[in-house]
Amino acid sequence: MSDTGVPARRSAVYLLDQILGEGRLMSELTGSGALDKLPVEDRARAARLATDTLRGMERADRLLQKHLSKYPPLTVRNVLRVGTVELCTGAAAHGVVNAMVELVSKHPRLSHLKGLTNAVLRKVAADGPDAWQNLRAPRLPKWLRGPLVQAWGADAMAAMEIAHFNGAPLDLTARDDPQAVATATGGTLLPNGSVRIRDAGQVSSMPGFAEGAWWVQDAAAAMPVQILAPKPGEKVLDLCAAPGGKTMQLAAAGAQVTALDDSAGRMTRVEENLSRTGLKAELVVADALSAKGQYDAVLLDAPCSATGTIRRHPDLPQAKDGSEFGALIDLQEQLIDHAWTLLKPGGRLVFCTCSLLPDEGEVQVDEALIRHTDMETDRHALDRPGIDPDWQTTEGGLRLRPDFWSDKGGMDGFYMACLRKSA
């Protein structure tokens, strides 16, 4: 890692400029090489600084506004935000202030603002850390907060925002033996069989990674396959399969798996993960709506708003405005209808989305039940270890939220339902 920390901080500010100024997502930026020129340690630090700043941005802006008569250009504002979050979460004031001033002083268009940067961050260093602790958990932007308060109520929304601010631990799904993975990694076994790691370092150096004993998958994301309950030898289609966590779950259960996704790049990752874990599946790169065949079961993890993953991806509500959600909801409906044609009589479809919006979950299934007279929800499929009966919904699905399991570190927001076709 660089001695001054300037390269990592400069890259963190660049990520924030792109997310907040251009509406790009962190995954898109890192996937297209935004951090590739940095050493590995600096790469991790830049991503962490940007993520921490996005989580704490409302708090940072509240502290900064006391010291600014007007907002500086976005890049300087982001320099101040990163510096404020660092100062208020335990970083040494001297190092942070010097690095941020150097960063601004070397900027071709903004170097005249190095004095402002120095003065503001010194004031934050003096009074920020104490004030930080007393501020509320940052709220979601109004465009998303409004619909979620309407859906779940103000108290639930506040609890979810606390979960978002706290971030997410690392969850693992074991290929064979969850208890053995928990013992080897020093993790905690969750009620559904996932293994939770509190302070994970580099994933690839953890015990069992090279041997393929586990893969990274949030506990909530592991539940759709658990309620599908694949049996050895069953012919199962995993639609929209990448990055492949559910494909591996299906294969580990002994199912005969076809995994389909339209992204060749993302399917390369699925292939790598299958190779590492020694599991097998047929991989198909194609549009999900073009899938053919007849299957005992179909898993449809449909493209969605991903609003259930904000504790892990705090860039999402800042980069997006909800304008594309309508098209996603229409696509989900088409995918459910197409998946239904691929099921044998008596077969089952698990539909799921990592969304907190009822329009992408409960409403989709309500409407699908009206469209398909041979469809019913299988409520018994939800009788699984770790699934609280209170999470079941009126139409027979399962609603998971970030504030559930709050004493254990939360979970991603998800909706899922097991839909059974008449024999």
Side-chain angles (χ1 to χ4, degrees):
M1 191 162 60
S2 55
D3 291 338
T4 62
V6 171
R9 290 179 170 109
R10 181 184 292 114
S11 294
V13 170
Y14 171 76
L15 292 173
L16 292 170
D17 285 352
Q18 293 295 304
I19 291 161
L20 301 171
E22 305 296 329
R24 298 180 71 188
L25 289 171
M26 180 95 78
S27 57
E28 176 193 339
L29 291 162
T30 54
S32 60
L35 303 177
D36 284 2
K37 290 180 181 174
L38 293 175
V40 173
E41 298 92 335
D42 275 351
R43 210 177 298 170
R45 187 179 185 188
R48 180 177 51 76
L49 283 173
T51 300
D52 288 351
T53 302
L54 289 162
R55 282 200 186 105
M57 195 163 71
E58 181 192 290
R59 284 188 176 188
D61 285 351
R62 287 196 169 204
L63 295 177
L64 286 167
Q65 70 186 15
K66 295 192 295 187
H67 307 302
L68 293 166
S69 55
K70 63 177 183 178
Y71 288 127
L74 180 63
T75 297
V76 174
R77 199 170 167 190
N78 287 333
V79 166
L80 294 172
R81 284 166 165 160
V82 173
T84 297
V85 169
E86 282 201 273
L87 290 167
C88 293
T89 55
H94 177 75
V96 174
V97 175
N98 284 355
M100 293 313 195
V101 170
E102 182 184 339
L103 207 160
V104 173
S105 70
K106 289 185 174 175
H107 195 289
R109 294 189 316 281
L110 302 171
S111 57
H112 63 287
L113 292 170
K114 67 181 181 184
L116 170 90
T117 303
N118 183 52
V120 169
L121 288 180
R122 286 188 183 283
K123 288 173 184 170
V124 171
D127 62 16
D130 289 339
W132 177 270
Q133 303 301 331
N134 296 320
L135 293 170
R136 72 184 183 194
R139 290 188 168 182
L140 289 176
K142 287 178 182 173
W143 71 264
L144 180 56
R145 193 174 202 276
L148 293 182
V149 168
Q150 191 174 2
W152 312 117
D155 290 347
M157 185 72 258
M160 285 191 264
E161 284 166 335
I162 290 169
H164 291 159
F165 185 51
N166 288 338
L170 184 76
D171 290 350
L172 311 177
T173 297
R175 183 189 57 203
D176 304 309
D177 184 346
Q179 184 59 64
V181 169
T183 302
T185 58
T188 304
L189 198 58
L190 293 173
N192 74 318
S194 293
V195 176
R196 177 154 290 179
I197 313 290
R198 288 290 177 172
D199 299 303
Q202 195 171 341
V203 168
S204 58
S205 62
M206 288 168 55
F209 176 84
E211 298 81 6
W214 50 262
W215 52 91
V216 174
Q217 185 179 36
D218 189 79
M223 291 185 189
V225 172
Q226 290 168 355
I227 70 169
L228 184 71
K231 299 174 186 67
E234 275 194 317
K235 199 175 169 193
V236 182
L237 174 65
D238 185 3
L239 272 182
C240 312
K246 297 176 183 68
T247 303
M248 289 184 283
Q249 281 181 283
L250 293 166
Q256 188 184 329
V257 189
T258 301
L260 183 147
D261 198 276
D262 65 358
S263 166
R266 279 160 59 83
M267 283 298 260
T268 301
R269 267 185 68 198
V270 179
E271 193 171 10
E272 289 167 357
N273 280 323
L274 285 167
S275 175
R276 179 175 64 83
T277 55
L279 296 169
K280 290 186 167 48
E282 180 192 0
L283 304 186
V284 180
V285 177
D287 185 321
L289 291 171
S290 70
K292 294 181 171 63
Q294 288 290 289
Y295 296 88
D296 298 304
V298 177
L299 178 69
L300 170 58
D301 187 356
C304 72
S305 65
T307 44
T309 67
I310 291 169
R311 65 193 194 122
R312 199 179 297 285
H313 301 295
D315 52 315
L316 193 143
Q318 307 298 339
K320 300 295 181 185
D321 60 6
S323 56
E324 75 273 42
F325 291 178
L328 285 169
I329 290 165
D330 290 344
L331 176 59
Q332 290 156 15
E333 183 179 320
Q334 292 175 54
L335 286 167
I336 290 171
D337 289 350
H338 184 62
W340 202 242
T341 69
L342 306 174
L343 268 187
K344 294 176 183 175
R348 59 214 188 277
L349 164 68
V350 166
F351 165 73
C352 61
T353 54
C354 54
S355 171
L356 290 170
L357 297 164
D359 283 351
E360 297 186 286
E362 292 86 344
V363 175
Q364 284 287 16
V365 168
D366 264 334
E367 294 180 350
L369 289 165
I370 293 168
R371 291 195 306 276
H372 300 279
T373 55
D374 59 346
M375 176 189 287
E376 64 177 359
T377 48
D378 183 349
R379 294 171 185 269
H380 295 300
L382 307 182
D383 297 335
R384 300 283 309 175
I387 292 179
D388 189 322
D390 290 344
W391 302 345
Q392 295 188 30
T393 55
T394 53
E395 79 294 336
L398 188 67
R399 165 53 63 191
L400 306 178
R401 296 198 321 237
D403 56 316
F404 293 174
W405 283 355
S406 58
D407 59 325
K408 298 176 177 67
M411 62 171 70
D412 281 355
F414 246 91
Y415 174 84
M416 61 199 75
C418 186
L419 306 168
R420 197 170 279 275
K421 195 170 197 173
S422 302

